[in-house]
Amino acid sequence: MLNNYNSLAQPLWQNGPAPGEFYKFTGGQMPVQQLPRELTTVGPYGTKHSTAAITTGSSVLGIRYDEGVMLAADTLVSYGSLARYQNIERVFKINKNILLGGSGDFADIQSIKRNIDQKMIEDQCCDDNIEMKPKSLASWMTRVLYNRRSRMNPLYIDVVVGGVDNEGTPYLANVDLRGRSHEDYVVATGFARHLAIPLVREKKPKDRDFTVVEAAELIRTCMEVLYYRDTRNISQYTVGVCSLNGCGVEGPFQVNENWTFAETIKGY
Amino acid sequence: MFRNQYDSDVTVWSPQGRLHQVEYAMEAVKLGTATVGLKNKETAVLVALCKPTSELSATQRKIIPIDDHLGISIAGLTADARVLSRYLRSECLNYKHSYDSTYPVSRLITNLGNKMQTTTQRYDRRPYGVGLLVAGYDERGPHIYQVTPSATFFNCKANSIGSRSQSARTYLEKKLNEFLDCSNDDIICHGIQAIRSTLPTDEHQSKENAGQFNITVAIVGKNQPFKILTDEEVKIYLEMAKQKGIPPNQPKDDDDDDHPSPPEEPAAGPRDPEVLVATEQRP
């Protein structure tokens, strides 16, 4: 308690309400829910919030096709520029309707994933066969992430939420660390936003959605391009597929590497 | 006025294993005018009977909209119902804010039941003196729930609560098998006919008294947000119901479960609640 001169002072008022407040009787309204301590309380030496992602996952790419969605991410979690953990899945099955792909600080991804898993368990505990829909999860994510950014303590993540609802309508959205979100037939985080989205948009027929074959092929080429162009990528990746026929993560797959063109490149 | 020495407090058990205060609260539901809830495959309907407390006042509102997918109709203490509806509304609104979708009806009712149960287990509270019929629509289809002051709730195919509701239940039980395949118009007509059967015999026959009663209808279903029908629309359905058949006019003295031949006006004087069963028993 350095420089905290008030720490020696006696409390003004004991065994009663704070000045200006009322006595709390039993019953009546529930007290306002207390926020977690670490979010509200300043420590004795001040509080340091994280200001940057430390262990990071790179891009996630999501493509919506006519009857579902596909999410892909490589299996690398980097520590700075070090390819530290090379076999970690970053696409998760949340329930039979939802896939989540996470990039950014992997610790924060794991943290939010634990929260989501707990919500799914609560869903199951209701025992009423109602499961969360991807749209609901995306909305909830924006609330949580925006709340954290408003406390100046954001989760350093950028996620893709995708899946289908009961009718089989596919849904694909991106939610970022400030709580912004948008929905589209192709969404991506990290470098894929620059490298993959144009490739997918180029192939989009104007009058219809992608088919599952087209989507799979696009994922394959995009992951290859990302592997060549993005230094924080490795050649191994997993793909989550979600439609009414099922929801799950497939892979790991290997990028079909081909470096024969390398010797023709000059000037580096 | 004590009926016995074990009803002084909600938390006091009688040796027979009954909570008399809670049972008295259940009686409050039977003082309110009747209301009926029923559903077909895609729609849930509430029909309520409104009666002004005096010639000078307007009728109490019997049907309260909660959210686009949900509404309640009440029998009992209106003030208690307002508290409950405020709770339901804020729950639905919070859910919508967080999840961008409507609150699943079964979960909402479970939470409401949990909230109401605490009042039956604490010495400083009293049970809510109101019964609810909840009509809602969610991904599992249309629902009719009955919620009682004892905080039990029932998922119903159709039900009726309030004074003289037994005759409506008799009607509903008789027609139960038709409901699922009914059209929306038909299901409303069934509701109106069920509620008509709760009217005292002289009142639904003589014309001049009929104006005292006011029927409210609300509907919710697939692609149909919760809506209380306007007076004009109700009039159309009243006509339609009349054409579809004369409301059954059974003698309702013998098989009344509520209380043997209830007095026409419950307000005739303070009446001892007649508690017949210890706990909820459904046929």
Side-chain angles (χ1 to χ4, degrees), chain A residues 26-29 119 123 126 128-133 135-136 139-140 143 166, chain B residues 86 95-101 104-107 122-125 138-140:
Chain A
T26 53
Q29 297 287 310
K119 293 186 85 61
D123 266 2
C126 290
D128 52 9
N129 275 327
I130 297 176
E131 288 203 55
M132 192 181 267
K133 306 293 169 299
K135 187 169 158 232
S136 297
S139 168
W140 180 81
R143 302 303 175 207
N166 282 345
Chain B
R86 189 182 65 172
Y95 193 92
K96 209 180 246 180
H97 177 258
S98 297
Y99 299 109
D100 196 17
S101 64
V105 181
S106 57
R107 293 188 189 176
R122 297 180 54 154
Y123 74 97
D124 58 343
R125 320 230 77 183
D138 60 21
E139 57 173 277
R140 316 291 302 170

Side-chain angles (χ1 to χ4, degrees), chain A residues 63-70 208-220 241-243 245 250:
Chain A
I63 298 179
R64 191 180 73 194
Y65 59 94
D66 49 9
E67 50 198 16
V69 296
M70 250 178 231
R208 62 172 178 87
D209 292 326
F210 290 121
T211 63
V212 61
V213 181
E214 287 169 338
E217 184 53 38
L218 276 167
I219 292 275
R220 209 171 297 130
V241 185
C242 183
S243 71
N245 304 325
E250 295 165 18

Side-chain angles (χ1 to χ4, degrees), chain B residues 2-206:
Chain B
F2 290 109
R3 285 185 53 76
N4 59 56
Q5 64 188 116
Y6 297 108
D7 67 353
S8 59
D9 211 316
V10 247
T11 55
V12 176
W13 286 103
S14 85
Q16 288 85 39
R18 302 157 57 161
L19 294 169
H20 287 285
Q21 285 295 330
V22 174
E23 290 175 21
Y24 296 163
M26 307 276 282
E27 294 299 313
V29 178
K30 295 173 187 164
L31 300 182
T33 53
T35 174
V36 170
L38 65 174
K39 64 181 180 182
N40 63 17
K41 275 210 179 76
E42 293 190 333
T43 314
V45 171
L46 293 174
V47 184
L49 201 58
C50 305
K51 193 169 60 166
T53 40
S54 81
E55 301 246 331
L56 300 172
S57 74
T59 54
Q60 289 275 15
R61 229 152 58 109
K62 290 280 285 179
I63 298 187
I64 305 173
I66 301 297
D67 198 354
D68 277 348
H69 74 303
L70 188 91
I72 60 174
S73 77
I74 61 173
L77 296 183
T78 317
D80 285 14
R82 264 202 333 270
V83 174
L84 292 182
S85 61
R86 189 182 65 172
Y87 168 78
L88 292 174
R89 280 178 177 173
S90 70
E91 286 292 294
C92 284
L93 211 54
N94 283 339
Y95 193 92
K96 209 180 246 180
H97 177 258
S98 297
Y99 299 109
D100 196 17
S101 64
T102 53
Y103 210 135
V105 181
S106 57
R107 293 188 189 176
L108 181 64
I109 299 305
T110 309
N111 285 340
L112 176 71
N114 291 347
K115 175 188 160 71
M116 290 173 76
Q117 193 275 339
T118 54
T119 65
T120 67
Q121 214 176 357
R122 297 180 54 154
Y123 74 97
D124 58 343
R125 320 230 77 183
R126 67 165 172 80
Y128 288 93
V130 69
L132 308 180
L133 283 181
V134 182
Y137 184 85
D138 60 21
E139 57 173 277
R140 316 291 302 170
H143 304 280
I144 296 287
Y145 276 90
Q146 181 202 0
V147 188
T148 68
S150 65
T152 32
F153 53 88
F154 305 100
N155 188 354
C156 305
K157 293 172 177 155
N159 209 341
S160 171
I161 56 171
S163 68
R164 276 190 286 271
S165 56
Q166 179 55 44
S167 351
R169 273 200 297 281
T170 312
Y171 176 89
L172 294 173
E173 277 163 26
K174 206 162 75 182
K175 304 274 183 174
L176 194 60
N177 296 327
E178 300 174 24
F179 292 160
L180 263 196
D181 301 314
C182 266
S183 70
N184 285 358
D185 285 352
D186 284 345
I187 203 82
I188 293 176
C189 289
H190 276 306
I192 290 174
Q193 295 197 3
I195 205 96
R196 276 238 189 103
S197 61
T198 69
L199 291 172
T201 356
D202 54 325
E203 288 192 68
H204 71 72
Q205 281 167 354
S206 75

